[in-house]
Amino acid sequence: MTPLEKTMTHEKSSRPTFRFPHIFVVLFSFICLAALSTHFLQAGSYERVTNEQGRTVVVPDSYAAVEAQEAGWLSPFMAVFEGMGEGSSIIFFIFISGGAFGVLKATGVLQKVVASISNALTGRDLILIPLLMLLFAMGGATFGLAEETIAFIIILAPLLRMLGYDSITAAAVPLVGAGAGFSAAFMNPFTVGVAQDIAELPMFSGMTLRACYWLIFVSVSIAFVTRYAAKVKAHPEASPVFNSDRRQFGKPQANEDPGALSVADKLVLATFVGTILVIAYGVIRHGWYIGEMSGAFLLMAILIGAFARMNPNKIADHFVEGIQEIAMGALVVGFAFGILVILRNGDILDTILYHLEGLLSGMPAVVTAVCMFFVQLVLNFLVPSGSGQAALTMPLMVPLADLVGVTRQTAVLAFQFGDGISNILTPTSGYFMAGLAVAGVSWSKWIKWILPLAILQLGMASLMITLAQIFSWT
């Protein structure tokens, strides 16, 4: 090698390569930006009252400036701790469910089942992608499936990787499936139900049009993910996470003949399936949430360990191993909540809402309806809770809609699309960021991958809102 070639080689190898910042760095940067904004934005607040249903709602035209609550130099650092407290229920749910699946994983039963499915569906396992996404979309549309997707990602990620798909597919099946169903929901009590109640509309009215919109919205989203999954299965190196998947999880192993399941294996599998069915029943019929789900998963871990003939110490060891695998995903939630802590403590959330509301006045009704949608998209960055965003914005959007000639059903539609689409885009969405971390996908790679679908969804939502307003949907 000549001296010139050596020099060129050295320069090429020493040239720095760009690496997107760690998700903790990204979220802490947002926390610092929120803290800085408290020094430049006027602190203000709307009056709030409790309505007949016991829900706290905003009083329109009640915004007033309040004494500034500027963030101190220590505030961004304290916000992480306070955010952990705010998101503690989700964080501990992730820990417990992750630990439970650590015990399940140690039994090797799921690996046997995946190998059996792969052998039985040789060349046809792609059908699992749309079927699973359809189930998640139904959950998002009917009982607001969102945080619960974390548990399913913990289950599906290793299974789909063993079938030859990548981590993006593993995250997309629950997140995009439930997200599409949630966005275009026809009877989600936490978005459509709350918003229609505030707008004084009959509960779940307009369901026919909503169901049509849901079918279109979900079908397009499923087609996007399925097409990508097929491409990755055929050409694994085409995946944006090909190298990171290999580093984190190794090369997928060829499925060998797993043999027949033993009696113990069948008991473990029955316990796992039974737990999922019990949780689904509890969520739908009895309003179970994170506490009840965590208890069910902990019980599942103990029973599975007993059926697999593990002693108590072995169960505990595998439980801790499961927690270690998803620890970062759990802690991401606290960082995401830290952003909201800063904005709320600085009394600038209502100020941002007030100025966004002012931008909507004086526009034609159709334009205002679409702008409402984009305003809700922005606000979901600040208030990622669907019911919380409805309580904050609908008391303001409903009078505005009446003034400019936007129908109340259209205003509700603009809210639910704005709230739902950005749930799997914004870094302040705790369950979304946790899901990505559990699946092993960086936020930067996810955003780059989902951008075409997000643009498509924004276009579909804008068109659907426009049509609803043109035909005076009531």
Side-chain angles (χ1 to χ4, degrees), residues 405-442:
V406 174
T407 68
R408 294 192 173 194
Q409 288 284 19
T410 303
V412 171
L413 186 67
F415 154 73
Q416 70 178 89
F417 274 131
D419 169 66
I421 292 175
S422 50
N423 276 341
I424 55 172
L425 299 174
T426 172
T428 57
S429 177
Y431 84 88
F432 156 62
M433 297 301 290
L436 290 186
V438 168
V441 180
S442 70

Side-chain angles (χ1 to χ4, degrees), residues 114 117-118 121-130 132 156-171 173 225-236 239 241-242 245-246 249-252 255 439:
V114 170
I117 294 173
S118 180
L121 295 176
T122 302
R124 294 178 290 127
D125 53 66
L126 185 66
I127 195 173
L128 292 174
I129 305 297
L132 288 171
L156 288 175
L159 302 186
L160 290 176
R161 280 194 291 263
M162 281 189 279
L163 287 173
Y165 301 102
D166 66 349
S167 294
I168 286 181
T169 305
V173 169
V225 176
T226 304
R227 180 174 177 269
Y228 171 79
K231 175 184 175 183
V232 167
K233 182 68 180 285
H235 305 285
S239 167
V241 294
F242 176 75
D245 274 3
R246 290 294 176 92
F249 312 110
K251 186 177 180 179
N255 293 319

Side-chain angles (χ1 to χ4, degrees), residues 303-387:
L303 291 176
I304 284 176
F307 290 140
R309 298 185 179 89
M310 297 180 187
N311 61 47
N313 284 347
K314 206 67 176 175
I315 295 174
D317 286 340
H318 291 310
F319 190 85
V320 172
E321 289 170 4
I323 291 176
Q324 290 173 340
E325 289 184 5
I326 50 82
M328 190 181 77
L331 297 179
V332 160
V333 176
F335 276 78
F337 272 95
I339 303 170
L340 307 179
V341 166
I342 290 287
L343 294 174
R344 187 184 62 234
N345 291 348
D347 283 329
I348 60 174
L349 264 178
D350 285 3
T351 298
I352 296 171
L353 178 63
Y354 172 74
H355 288 296
L356 288 175
E357 179 194 3
L359 293 175
L360 300 179
S361 58
M363 297 180 180
V366 171
V367 177
T368 300
V370 175
C371 286
M372 281 181 172
F373 160 56
F374 283 99
V375 165
Q376 296 286 5
L377 277 171
V378 173
L379 291 174
N380 196 46
F381 176 87
L382 308 175
V383 189
S385 163
S387 55

Side-chain angles (χ1 to χ4, degrees), residues 64-326:
V66 299
E67 184 179 352
Q69 302 291 331
E70 297 176 349
W73 67 269
L74 194 58
S75 296
F77 306 96
M78 292 175 58
V80 175
F81 172 79
E82 293 179 27
M84 295 290 178
E86 292 270 341
S88 59
S89 59
I90 298 177
I91 292 171
F92 287 116
F93 166 69
I94 296 172
F95 279 144
I96 292 174
S97 59
F101 287 108
V103 177
L104 175 63
K105 180 181 177 182
T107 66
V109 171
L110 289 184
Q111 290 87 326
K112 292 182 180 180
V113 172
V114 170
S116 298
I117 294 173
S118 180
N119 292 336
L121 295 176
T122 302
R124 294 178 290 127
D125 53 66
L126 185 66
I127 195 173
L128 292 174
I129 305 297
L131 289 179
L132 288 171
M133 289 188 69
L134 185 60
L135 290 176
F136 288 123
M138 286 295 298
T142 54
F143 60 90
L145 181 70
E147 285 86 354
E148 298 83 355
T149 55
I150 299 170
F152 289 106
I153 293 174
I154 295 174
I155 300 169
L156 288 175
L159 302 186
L160 290 176
R161 280 194 291 263
M162 281 189 279
L163 287 173
Y165 301 102
D166 66 349
S167 294
I168 286 181
T169 305
V173 169
L175 288 175
V176 176
F182 193 100
S183 300
F186 44 83
M187 55 179 297
N188 181 349
F190 304 109
T191 54
V192 178
V194 173
Q196 287 188 327
D197 179 44
I198 295 174
E200 299 178 346
L201 294 168
M203 189 66 71
F204 301 135
S205 56
M207 188 177 293
T208 301
L209 183 60
R210 292 182 195 281
C212 292
Y213 280 177
W214 177 88
L215 184 61
I216 296 170
F217 207 82
V218 169
S219 297
V220 170
S221 301
I222 289 177
F224 180 86
V225 176
T226 304
R227 180 174 177 269
Y228 171 79
K231 175 184 175 183
V232 167
K233 182 68 180 285
H235 305 285
E237 67 282 356
S239 167
V241 294
F242 176 75
N243 291 327
S244 60
D245 274 3
R246 290 294 176 92
R247 286 195 304 270
Q248 294 181 81
F249 312 110
K251 186 177 180 179
Q253 299 297 316
N255 293 319
E256 301 176 355
D257 183 8
L261 294 176
S262 66
V263 173
D265 290 339
K266 291 177 181 178
L267 288 173
V268 168
L269 188 59
T271 303
F272 167 63
V273 174
T275 301
I276 299 301
L277 293 176
V278 167
I279 287 176
Y281 176 81
V283 169
I284 296 171
R285 297 288 297 178
H286 300 291
W288 281 13
Y289 193 49
I290 287 176
E292 293 85 355
M293 291 172 62
S294 298
F297 280 127
L298 183 58
L299 176 60
M300 181 192 82
I302 296 172
L303 291 176
I304 284 176
F307 290 140
R309 298 185 179 89
M310 297 180 187
N311 61 47
N313 284 347
K314 206 67 176 175
I315 295 174
D317 286 340
H318 291 310
F319 190 85
V320 172
E321 289 170 4
I323 291 176
Q324 290 173 340
E325 289 184 5
I326 50 82

